[in-house]
């Protein structure tokens, strides 16, 4: 029998396996896995891990594809107190090497083979067929605690070197409970998961559905919209999650056709990047009875705040309020003191889903004000308790003492018809203001005069926010979830 006491997630899976053993927990293509089968497969994989000599506290790298064996391996490691370090299978090799160098894993699991010096490598599928050595499976480790580290997720490194975020079993359960409480995911839901399982958003959706006792249908990705729509139709899907970049893709390729699923969709969760107000308004119109939820939060503080578009139709610029009564937020100045409503500062959060530490203790320096996690995001709270983002603190441009948000400049430039752009701080060429904005514009062949663009911005931005330097580029570097990688533009 698996050890589940330390993991709320595993306890919920065990409970479903006992109460409704024949209910489908997971599906991929033609393969359906019931909750009782899921439990048995997790136990098989846990036994194989024991046979390999892995034990509680060992970090293992999971090179994640969106396939069922990954899910079994992920849950099996939790049952044994092994620490999952989840890496995207599509990550550049230098990122994988960096993570391996930092965590020094006891093993690496993947679909296929990866050449890694000094680290045993196993195929996920081996764990489903390998015999379990007699006496090796010892799942009853009573020393495991809910405050033990379950996962280490590495940040995207948009403003510096990637950091390993340590998340405990309590953290991941807390995030799932907060999210399910707001979004409303329940045992009656069937969710299509087209997000990567290697990222915080997709992995979080998997945990949410299993915690709720629902059914999760794995979909390769959103690239083949016809296939995705077929899954929505054939499974009568009631919810899914997507990033804003995916919504732009769906809108461009299929227009409003996805709205035909509005009567069956109970919820859609958005996150990981900003969504323009006009798109929120469009979604409200297209999905009049669907809960359209958008989360705010970092890997370190998953889903710290939420907003629901219908409920906030009169104020679609807010990032919302704390996700549950167990989550708190505040805004602090650079000395760590709380600021008054309406005044900009650094958004800080604390709660059941917030990490207590980075994998590398040195990364904790400057990361917390006591038990308040410093998000690195600049913003403010209004008198009603709603929060608003200005931008990443490290990316704010200090123009003669005025803090300027690159995101605000980018929004203004895009409103002039520029397909995409990004802004960063550069030294003032006149040596007066310290920093000034520089804009990188996606080359589209329709605009060739920076002067015209500057004139267009004159009615949209204060003079000190209008970029001083300009450059055409062939692409804007972004993460898989759509966040601009401004650090790369400074190289």
């Amino acid at each position: 029998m698996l050890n589940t006491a330390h993991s709320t997630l595993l306890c919920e899976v065990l409970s479903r396996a006992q109460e409704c053993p024949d209910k489908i927990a997971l599906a991929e293509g033609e393969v359906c896995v019931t909750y009782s089968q899921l439990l048995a497969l997790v136990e098989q994989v846990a036994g194989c891990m024991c046979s390999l000599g892995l034990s509680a506290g060992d970090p293992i790298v999971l090179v994640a594809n969106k396939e069922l064996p990954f899910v079994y391996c992920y849950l099996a490691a939790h049952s044994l107190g092994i620490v999952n370090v989840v890496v995207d299978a599509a990550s550049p090799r230098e990122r994988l090497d960096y993570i391996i160098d930092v965590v020094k894993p006891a093993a690496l699991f993947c679909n296929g083979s990866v050449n890694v010096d000094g680290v045993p490598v196993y195929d996920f599928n081996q764990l489903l067929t390998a015999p379990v050595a007699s006496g090796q499976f010892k799942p009853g480790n009573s020393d495991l605690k809910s405050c033990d580290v379950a996962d280490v997720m590495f940040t995207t490194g948009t403003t510096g070197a990637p950091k390993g975020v340590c998340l405990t079993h309590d953290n991941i359960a807390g995030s799932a409970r907060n999210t399910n409480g707001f979004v409303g995911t329940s045992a009656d839901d069937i969710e299509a998961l087209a997000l990567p399982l290697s990222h915080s958003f997709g992995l979080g959706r998997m945990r949410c559905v299993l915690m709720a006792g629902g059914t999760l249908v794995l979909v390769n990705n959103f690239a083949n919209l016809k296939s995705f729509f077929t899954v929505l139709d054939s499974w009568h899907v009631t919810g899914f999650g997507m990033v804003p970049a995916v919504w732009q893709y769906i809108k461009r390729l299929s227009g409003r056709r996805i709205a035909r699923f509005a009567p069956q969709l109970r919820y859609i969760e958005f996150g990981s990047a900003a969504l323009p107000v006009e798109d929120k308004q469009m979604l409200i119109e297209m999905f009049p009875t669907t809960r359209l939820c958008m989360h705010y939060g970092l890997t370190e503080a998953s889903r710290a705040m939420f907003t629901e578009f219908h409920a906030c139709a009169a104020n679609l610029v807010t990032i919302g309020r704390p996700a549950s009564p167990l989550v708190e937020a505040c805004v602090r100045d650079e000395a760590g003191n709380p600021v008054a409503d309406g005044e900009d500062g650094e958004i800080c959060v604390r709660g059941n889903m917030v990490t207590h530490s980075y994998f590398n203790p040195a990364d904790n320096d400057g990361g917390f004000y006591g038990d308040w996690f410093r998000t690195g995001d600049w913003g403010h709270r209004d008198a009603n308790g709603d929060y608003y983002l200005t931008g990443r603190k490290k990316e704010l441009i200090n123009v003669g003492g005025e803090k300027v948000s690159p995101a605000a400049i980018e929004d203004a430039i895009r409103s002039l018809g520029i397909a995409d752009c990004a802004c960063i701080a550069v030294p003032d060429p006149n040596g007066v203001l310290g920093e000034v904005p520089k804009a990188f514009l996606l080359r589209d062949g329709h605009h060739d005069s920076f002067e015209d663009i500057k004139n267009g911005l004159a009615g949209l931005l204060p003079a000190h926010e209008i970029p001083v330097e300009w450059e055409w580029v062939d692409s804007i570097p972004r993460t898989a979830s759509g966040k601009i990688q401004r650090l790369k533009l400074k190289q």
Side-chain angles (χ1 to χ4, degrees):
M1 193 71 175
L2 288 173
N3 185 25
T4 63
H6 61 289
S7 167
T8 302
L9 173 58
L10 289 174
C11 284
E12 291 295 337
V13 171
L14 174 62
S15 176
R16 302 295 169 178
Q18 294 171 337
E19 296 170 5
C20 44
D22 296 328
K23 180 174 183 178
I24 296 174
L26 299 166
E28 180 190 359
E30 299 299 317
V31 179
C32 294
V33 179
T34 67
Y35 271 93
S36 60
Q37 290 171 332
L38 173 58
L39 193 67
L41 286 161
V42 170
E43 185 169 299
Q44 158 70 22
V45 173
C48 288
M49 286 182 166
C50 288
S51 294
L52 295 174
L54 298 172
S55 59
D58 286 342
I60 60 171
V61 169
L62 304 183
V63 181
N65 281 304
K66 196 179 316 121
E67 296 179 340
L68 295 174
F70 164 80
V71 181
Y72 312 149
C73 191
Y74 176 83
L75 295 175
H78 279 191
S79 75
L80 299 170
I82 294 168
V83 179
N84 289 316
V85 183
V86 181
V87 180
D88 190 346
S91 292
R93 181 56 195 245
E94 55 265 32
R95 177 175 170 86
L96 175 61
D97 289 341
Y98 173 83
I99 291 172
I100 288 173
D101 184 59
V102 170
V103 303
K104 297 177 174 48
L108 180 147
F109 296 89
C110 61
N111 180 12
S113 62
V114 176
N115 294 321
V116 182
D117 291 338
V119 179
V121 176
Y122 304 97
D123 189 298
F124 286 126
N125 291 294
Q126 287 179 256
L127 301 177
L128 299 176
T129 57
V132 178
S134 176
Q136 288 296 307
F137 188 18
K138 301 175 181 177
N141 186 343
S142 60
D143 294 332
L144 299 180
K145 300 179 178 63
S146 62
C147 59
D148 291 341
V149 175
D151 297 346
V152 175
M153 301 290 293
F154 275 78
T155 62
T156 53
T158 53
T159 59
K163 297 178 181 179
V165 180
C166 295
L167 299 172
T168 66
H169 296 281
D170 280 337
N171 288 152
I172 62 176
S175 177
R177 281 175 168 160
N178 296 341
T179 304
N180 286 347
F182 189 92
V183 174
T185 307
S186 73
D188 296 327
D189 282 305
I190 300 172
E191 178 164 324
L193 182 65
L195 295 163
L197 275 172
S198 52
H199 293 186
S200 180
F201 192 178
L203 197 56
R205 286 309 316 160
M206 180 197 81
R207 294 191 295 247
C208 283
V209 175
L210 293 180
M211 281 272 292
T215 296
L216 188 70
V217 182
L218 302 185
V219 183
N220 189 33
N221 53 46
F222 289 98
N224 187 335
L225 281 182
K226 183 178 179 180
S227 176
F228 180 67
F229 287 175
T230 297
V231 170
L232 295 186
D233 192 34
S234 62
W235 278 90
H236 200 76
V237 164
T238 60
F240 64 93
M242 65 174 155
V243 298
V246 165
W247 167 243
Q248 300 301 335
Y249 174 78
I250 292 174
K251 186 172 63 170
R252 186 173 69 253
L253 266 65
S254 68
R256 305 172 70 90
R257 275 180 286 176
I258 194 173
R260 71 182 176 91
F261 298 103
Q264 74 187 55
L265 288 170
R266 293 202 321 105
Y267 63 85
I268 303 174
E269 183 183 353
F270 297 84
S272 299
L275 186 66
V277 168
E278 54 269 26
D279 284 307
K280 295 178 182 178
Q281 293 168 334
M282 181 179 181
L283 286 158
I284 288 172
E285 178 191 348
M286 290 171 61
F287 297 94
T289 60
T290 304
R291 276 188 69 77
L292 302 170
C293 306
M294 187 158 200
H295 68 251
Y296 159 80
L298 295 80
T299 304
E300 295 93 333
S302 182
R303 282 115 157 144
M305 300 188 205
F306 268 103
T307 182
E308 200 283 316
F309 298 167
H310 292 287
C312 298
N315 181 19
L316 292 172
V317 296
T318 179
I319 59 170
R321 300 181 182 185
S324 83
L326 298 176
V327 181
E328 298 176 86
C330 68
V331 182
R332 295 176 178 254
D333 62 22
E334 294 188 271
N337 302 309
V339 302
D341 287 344
E343 185 177 339
D344 272 354
E346 185 175 6
I347 295 175
C348 300
V349 296
R350 65 182 178 187
N352 55 354
M353 76 300 172
V354 178
T355 182
H356 297 290
S357 175
Y358 290 103
F359 188 87
N360 182 353
D363 289 333
N364 292 323
D365 294 342
F368 299 84
Y369 288 132
D371 60 349
W372 289 92
F373 173 70
R374 300 175 59 183
T375 67
D377 283 328
W378 213 244
H380 63 273
R381 184 182 67 180
D382 67 16
N384 295 320
D386 294 316
Y387 286 79
Y388 304 81
L389 281 185
T390 303
R392 291 291 291 166
K393 182 180 178 183
K394 291 181 180 179
E395 294 173 344
L396 293 178
I397 305 168
N398 190 350
V399 183
E402 294 284 345
K403 299 292 195 301
V404 175
S405 165
I409 303 173
E410 291 155 4
D411 287 344
I413 293 174
R414 291 191 197 98
S415 74
L416 299 176
I418 301 298
D420 201 3
C421 61
C423 290
I424 64 169
V426 295
D428 179 7
N430 297 318
V432 176
L433 298 173
E435 294 179 341
V436 293
K438 177 178 180 177
F440 295 83
L441 310 184
L442 186 66
R443 195 189 313 275
D444 61 7
H446 302 301
H447 301 80
D448 55 8
S449 170
F450 291 137
E451 199 61 36
D452 287 344
I453 297 171
K454 288 173 67 175
N455 290 338
L457 292 176
L460 301 174
L461 296 172
H464 69 279
E465 294 188 9
I466 296 176
V468 172
E469 296 187 10
W470 302 79
E471 183 179 335
W472 291 111
V473 292
D474 293 323
S475 64
I476 301 295
R478 291 181 178 272
T479 66
S481 60
K483 296 176 184 176
I484 296 174
Q485 295 178 300
R486 294 187 178 88
L487 195 65
K488 290 190 174 183
L489 293 170
K490 294 186 177 184
Q491 295 173 351

